[in-house]
Amino acid sequence: RPEAEAAGRECISTDASDGSSDKECKAAPSTSVYVVGDIHGDAKCAVSWVNRTGLVRNLIDYSLNEDLPIYERTTQPSVWTWADSSSTLVFMGDYVDKGPLSRFVIEFVKSLTDKFPDQVTALLGNHELELLHDRELQEVRRYMSYSYATVHVGDYHPYLSRELDEKDDLVLDLLYEAAMEVY
């Protein structure tokens, strides 16, 4: 049944006792590849996307206060289990920069790849390459010397000693846009 094989089915030849043969076809196992990219130090995004895939059981401790950010409710990797052996998760890189929790993101992704080496792949992004390259530079203009490389402009909010208003948000948005233009 060539049409069955072309339709994504596995076909196995079986021999009958009368000498004839037939093919038994069944649906091939489905596989899914989940891809996450450009997290840029956003721990909430990293944990939320992995949680949303449903691939990692016991990722979130739901007994903790719901007011805590989701990344503060992640459980220890020792209790994680992989939910779907036919699915994989690929991180496309760019774990650092712009967001305030780059280290958390790197540690989270590393924990996933350590716990599930056959299911999770983490690629190196251009932002990680720039940071590695920085280690070799002796020049003054290093990548990490730019404030927007490590901190998202919105993370300056806590440093303001008063309640924020629309003008503050506008100024921070404009600073962010200016940083992106330079970047």
Side-chain angles (χ1 to χ4, degrees), residues 9 13 16 24 39 48 59 65-66 74 76 83 88 95 110 139 148 150 162 173 182:
R9 297 180 175 266
S13 294
E24 181 179 320
I39 297 169
S48 295
L59 180 66
N65 185 343
E66 286 186 25
T74 56
Q76 293 298 312
T88 58
Y95 312 108
K110 179 152 180 11
E139 300 173 22
Y148 59 83
T150 57
R162 58 182 169 68
D173 286 344
V182 171

Side-chain angles (χ1 to χ4, degrees), residues 45-57:
C45 180
V47 174
S48 295
W49 277 114
V50 172
N51 189 48
R52 190 171 182 168
T53 68
L55 294 175
V56 181
R57 290 189 193 106

Side-chain angles (χ1 to χ4, degrees), residues 11-163:
C11 297
I12 301 169
S13 294
T14 56
D15 293 323
S17 58
D18 65 358
S20 64
S21 66
D22 197 10
K23 282 190 174 184
E24 181 179 320
C25 297
K26 61 180 181 177
S30 65
T31 59
S32 296
V33 178
Y34 294 84
V35 180
V36 178
D38 298 278
I39 297 169
H40 291 292
D42 187 340
K44 179 181 176 185
C45 180
V47 174
S48 295
W49 277 114
V50 172
N51 189 48
R52 190 171 182 168
T53 68
L55 294 175
V56 181
R57 290 189 193 106
N58 307 316
L59 180 66
I60 307 299
D61 184 347
Y62 291 102
S63 69
L64 294 176
N65 185 343
E66 286 186 25
D67 293 336
L68 289 173
I70 193 167
Y71 60 87
E72 290 184 14
R73 294 185 283 143
T74 56
T75 57
Q76 293 298 312
S78 60
V79 300
W80 297 347
T81 59
W82 195 255
D84 182 0
S85 62
S86 67
S87 294
T88 58
L89 177 62
V90 178
F91 289 95
M92 298 298 292
D94 291 355
Y95 312 108
V96 300
D97 299 341
K98 302 177 188 174
L101 296 168
S102 295
R103 181 177 178 158
F104 175 91
V105 170
I106 290 171
E107 289 172 349
F108 176 64
V109 171
K110 179 152 180 11
S111 294
L112 286 165
T113 59
D114 287 347
K115 180 74 176 178
F116 309 110
D118 295 332
Q119 290 88 13
V120 179
T121 302
L123 303 176
L124 200 61
N126 63 307
H127 289 257
E128 290 77 37
L129 287 172
E130 288 291 337
L131 290 175
L132 292 172
H133 179 67
D134 255 6
R135 294 172 49 181
E136 306 300 318
L137 292 178
Q138 301 300 315
E139 300 173 22
V140 174
R141 294 190 62 168
R142 294 171 54 152
Y143 184 67
M144 289 298 290
S145 66
Y146 301 112
S147 61
Y148 59 83
T150 57
V151 178
H152 189 280
V153 175
D155 293 320
Y156 291 109
H157 279 183
Y159 296 104
L160 298 175
S161 59
R162 58 182 169 68
E163 193 69 29

